[in-house]
């Protein structure tokens, strides 16, 4: 119905601006041929001056229907009417649209189409629908007395209010309720049962992650990637950080952020780190490395405070030292705080044995540099978040500058982590940060790629 109206209005728009005499035959054709159309025409200041019914005779719009008393209209107006001058017994709907010459065109549609649609909806049910458009007359489906307002909507096109009213007999409500109680409720109970099952299976999967880690170790699903660390001035790769990776048999890679945390939470981290050490030892056997190559391993706080920690590190260190490699343990700021004296003692001992100590992700924890001054530490790895500020702060990186300057004062070597751009590289070089790690130079590499990087002739 709406389509018919808009179709007619757009045909009328093309005729707007011509004299009524010239366009009248065309208007009468449109009014006569389109389905459900009672009349079409043009209005100016509340006067119909041209229409398919009254020709070029000027009649007030309110003659068509007494409710139509306005003189001016919005771009679009739609209103339901009780009747029109020509058909007194049936309601109608009038569409009024502004034309390009600032007057209005109109089309009056018979309500029969709408009534038919409403009747077909309500045919097999005992309820009734009524629609009122633009606060106009309420057009009813078959017998619809004692209506109650159910729904008010706004028509998207003309912003007019559309009010749809329904009336449902008590008997229908009872059968509706019975339908709910007998069918819908049991269905939702069954659905909830399966949902609960599904969630508990997910929970079980979560529960079994430590078990899967254990199985992954046995089935050799873990492997190691090595991210090179470069000397800022010479561009030479002087070391690498070992990063554990987990590839499941189905091909999925589990992020270390997930499995390291799970291993830490479930007491599996010591076992997993020992496994890492074994994998590293195997990889190292296939490399030809320059003297004094530094290899970093990440250590979790709980591993550090465990009994076997010193022994684990000494075994790795001995193995690597025999091949001319320096072992770096990357510990977090958190580990240096807990049980301070014991930690300090352990680190002093390991250092004596040639192990190099690095503080990882510096700046994200709770440590101050003043605190580290009394700690046996060799390297400070500045967290990527500070390196990111080089790009974003338009020149001012006061915290990073302060960390760099204080670290130098207490003789700590600095490694910048997560260097991604040339600009960051230049800034760090200018600030005399001696070691750099990040995607700008290299992502983590597999053992063959790392060997090729260090020995280009092997490529
Ligand atoms: O490896 P990225 O590539 O995604 O590592 C994510 C995080 O997991 C980093 O914080 C990294 O330090 C940590 N990580 C990676 N491998 C190990 C590991 O072998 N042991 C510990 N404790 N952390 C690791
Ligand atoms: O926390 P730790 O420093 O151990 O973690 C190293 C992590 O940083 C690894 O996940 C590694 O893949 C990631 N990494 C290394 N270089 C870059 C880099 O340039 N950009 C980003 N976004 N991550 C990096
Ligand atoms: Mn690290």
């Amino acid at each position: 119905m709406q389509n018919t109206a808009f179709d007619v209005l757009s045909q009328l728009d093309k005729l707007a601006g011509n004299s009524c005499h010239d366009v009248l035959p065309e208007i009468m054709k449109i009014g006569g041929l389109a389905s459900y159309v009672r009349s079409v025409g043009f209005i100016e200041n509340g006067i119909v001056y041209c229409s398919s019914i009254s020709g070029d005779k000027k009649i007030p719009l309110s003659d068509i229907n007494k409710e139509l008393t306005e003189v001016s209209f919005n771009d679009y107006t739609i209103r339901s009417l009780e009747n029109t001058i020509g058909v007194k017994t049936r309601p109608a709907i009038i569409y009024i649209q502004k034309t390009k010459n600032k007057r209005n065109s109109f089309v009056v549609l018979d309500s029969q189409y709408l009534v038919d649609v409403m009747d077909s909806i309500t045919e097999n049910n005992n309820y009734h629908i009524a629609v009122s458009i633009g606060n106009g007359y309420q057009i009813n489906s078959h017998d619809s007395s004692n209506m109650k307002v159910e729904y008010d909507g706004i028509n998207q096109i003309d912003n007019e209010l559309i009010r749809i009213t329904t009336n449902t007999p008590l008997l229908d409500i009872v059968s509706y309720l019975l339908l709910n109680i007998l069918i819908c409720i049991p269905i939702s109970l069954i659905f909830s049962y399966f949902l609960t099952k599904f969630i508990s299976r997910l929970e079980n999967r979560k529960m079994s992650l430590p078990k899967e880690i254990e199985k992954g170790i046995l089935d050799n699903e873990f492997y190691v990637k090595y991210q090179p660390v470069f000397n800022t001035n010479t561009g030479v790769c002087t070391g690498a950080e070992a990063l554990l990776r987990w590839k499941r048999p189905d091909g999925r890679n589990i992020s270390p952020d997930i499995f390291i945390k799970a291993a830490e939470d479930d007491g599996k981290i010591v076992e997993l780190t020992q496994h890492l050490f074994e994998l590293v030892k195997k990889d190292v056997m296939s490399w030809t490395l320059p003297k004094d190559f530094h290899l970093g391993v990440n250590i979790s706080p709980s591993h550090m405070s465990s009994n076997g920690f010193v022994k684990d590190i000494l075994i790795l260190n001995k193995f690597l030292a025999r091949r001319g490699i320096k072992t770096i343990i990357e510990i977090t700021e958190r580990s240096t705080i807990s049980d301070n004296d014991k930690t300090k003692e352990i680190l002093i001992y390991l250092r004596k044995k040639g192990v190099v100590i690095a503080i990882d992700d510096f700046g994200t924890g709770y440590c101050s540099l003043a605190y580290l001054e009394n700690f046996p530490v060799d390297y400070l790895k500045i967290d990527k978040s500070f390196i990111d500020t080089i790009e974003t702060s338009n020149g001012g990186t006061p915290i990073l500058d302060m960390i760099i300057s204080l670290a130098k004062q207490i003789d700590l070597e600095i490694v910048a982590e997560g260097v991604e751009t040339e600009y960051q590289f230049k800034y760090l070089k200018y600030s005399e940060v001696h070691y750099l790690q990040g995607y700008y130079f290299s992502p983590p590499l597999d053992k063959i790629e790392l060997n090729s990087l260090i020995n280009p002739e092997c490529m």
Side-chain angles (χ1 to χ4, degrees), residues 353-452:
K353 297 283 177 184
V355 176
V356 182
I357 319 289
I359 303 289
D360 205 5
D361 307 329
F362 184 80
T364 58
Y366 330 80
C367 253
S368 74
L369 278 166
Y371 176 85
L372 284 182
E373 193 176 1
N374 303 313
F375 232 79
V377 173
D378 303 286
Y379 287 87
L380 205 60
K381 296 191 80 170
I382 300 182
D383 191 70
K384 178 179 186 314
S385 54
F386 292 101
I387 307 306
D388 289 343
T389 63
I390 296 174
E391 213 69 40
T392 54
S393 63
N394 271 333
T397 51
I399 298 181
L400 175 69
D401 295 345
M402 192 187 68
I403 294 175
I404 294 173
S405 130
L406 287 175
K408 283 181 188 159
Q409 284 176 38
I410 56 174
D411 281 335
L412 285 181
E413 276 295 357
I414 305 166
V415 183
E417 289 188 299
V419 182
E420 288 182 343
T421 66
E422 185 183 2
Y423 186 77
Q424 291 170 347
F425 161 54
K426 287 194 169 145
Y427 188 93
L428 293 162
K429 186 171 179 172
Y430 172 81
S431 307
E432 295 177 347
V433 170
H434 294 149
Y435 297 97
L436 305 173
Q437 185 180 347
Y439 294 166
Y440 180 64
F441 305 99
S442 170
L445 304 174
D446 67 32
K447 61 176 180 193
I448 296 170
E449 290 169 329
L450 183 79
N451 198 33
S452 310

Side-chain angles (χ1 to χ4, degrees), residues 215-455:
K215 192 165 174 299
I217 292 174
L218 288 173
D219 295 349
N220 223 4
E221 291 170 11
F222 290 93
Y223 64 101
V224 188
K225 282 215 164 185
Y226 300 88
Q227 188 173 35
V229 176
F230 295 87
N231 179 302
T232 311
N233 293 316
T234 62
V236 169
C237 167
T238 56
E241 172 178 3
L243 295 161
L244 198 55
R245 295 287 182 264
W246 187 10
K247 188 171 187 159
R248 304 302 314 275
D250 62 7
R252 270 184 318 140
N253 279 298
I254 313 281
S255 159
D257 290 321
I258 292 174
F259 70 76
I260 297 284
K261 179 156 192 325
E264 280 172 347
D265 292 348
D266 295 293
K268 289 272 172 276
I269 192 66
V270 173
E271 201 180 326
L272 191 59
T273 310
Q274 287 168 343
H275 183 57
L276 169 87
F277 291 175
E278 291 309 310
L279 294 172
V280 166
K281 284 191 207 163
K282 263 192 219 143
D283 290 349
V284 165
M285 305 270 264
S286 65
W287 290 342
T288 318
L289 294 175
K291 208 172 164 292
D292 254 1
F293 192 80
H294 285 54
L295 192 60
V297 290
N298 291 288
I299 302 299
S300 291
S302 58
H303 191 184
M304 252 181 93
S305 47
S306 74
N307 287 333
F309 175 67
V310 172
K311 193 168 138 241
D312 286 345
I313 301 298
L314 285 181
I315 293 172
L316 178 72
N317 183 54
K318 200 167 163 190
F319 183 95
L320 295 179
R322 254 191 258 141
R323 283 158 185 80
I325 300 170
K326 282 234 151 61
T327 307
I328 303 185
I329 54 171
E330 299 192 5
I331 62 175
T332 63
E333 292 171 69
R334 195 150 50 96
S335 334
T336 63
I337 303 269
S338 58
D339 206 354
N340 178 286
D341 287 339
K342 186 163 167 252
T343 309
K344 211 164 159 180
E345 214 175 281
I346 289 172
L347 294 182
I348 290 170
Y349 176 74
L350 287 177
R351 228 176 164 204
K352 256 192 224 144
K353 297 283 177 184
V355 176
V356 182
I357 319 289
I359 303 289
D360 205 5
D361 307 329
F362 184 80
T364 58
Y366 330 80
C367 253
S368 74
L369 278 166
Y371 176 85
L372 284 182
E373 193 176 1
N374 303 313
F375 232 79
V377 173
D378 303 286
Y379 287 87
L380 205 60
K381 296 191 80 170
I382 300 182
D383 191 70
K384 178 179 186 314
S385 54
F386 292 101
I387 307 306
D388 289 343
T389 63
I390 296 174
E391 213 69 40
T392 54
S393 63
N394 271 333
T397 51
I399 298 181
L400 175 69
D401 295 345
M402 192 187 68
I403 294 175
I404 294 173
S405 130
L406 287 175
K408 283 181 188 159
Q409 284 176 38
I410 56 174
D411 281 335
L412 285 181
E413 276 295 357
I414 305 166
V415 183
E417 289 188 299
V419 182
E420 288 182 343
T421 66
E422 185 183 2
Y423 186 77
Q424 291 170 347
F425 161 54
K426 287 194 169 145
Y427 188 93
L428 293 162
K429 186 171 179 172
Y430 172 81
S431 307
E432 295 177 347
V433 170
H434 294 149
Y435 297 97
L436 305 173
Q437 185 180 347
Y439 294 166
Y440 180 64
F441 305 99
S442 170
L445 304 174
D446 67 32
K447 61 176 180 193
I448 296 170
E449 290 169 329
L450 183 79
N451 198 33
S452 310
L453 178 92
I454 297 162
N455 307 287

Side-chain angles (χ1 to χ4, degrees), residues 54-118:
S54 50
D56 60 0
K57 205 170 98 198
K58 292 189 170 58
I59 60 163
L61 183 59
S62 55
D63 274 11
I64 291 185
N65 177 287
K66 59 182 186 316
E67 303 290 328
L68 292 168
T69 52
E70 296 99 315
V71 173
S72 67
F73 293 93
N74 297 330
D75 288 353
Y76 269 113
T77 304
I78 309 180
R79 188 154 323 152
S80 44
L81 308 170
E82 183 176 4
N83 52 36
T84 54
I85 186 170
V87 184
K88 297 269 188 230
T89 53
R90 276 203 314 274
I93 299 160
I94 188 167
Y95 291 71
I96 301 171
Q97 178 185 234
K98 208 167 250 164
T99 58
K100 53 189 177 204
N101 63 342
K102 298 279 168 9
R103 295 174 186 172
N104 296 284
S105 56
F106 74 89
V107 50
V108 179
L109 299 183
D110 196 281
S111 68
Q112 194 55 46
Y113 180 76
L114 185 61
V115 172
D116 287 348
V117 170
M118 290 193 291

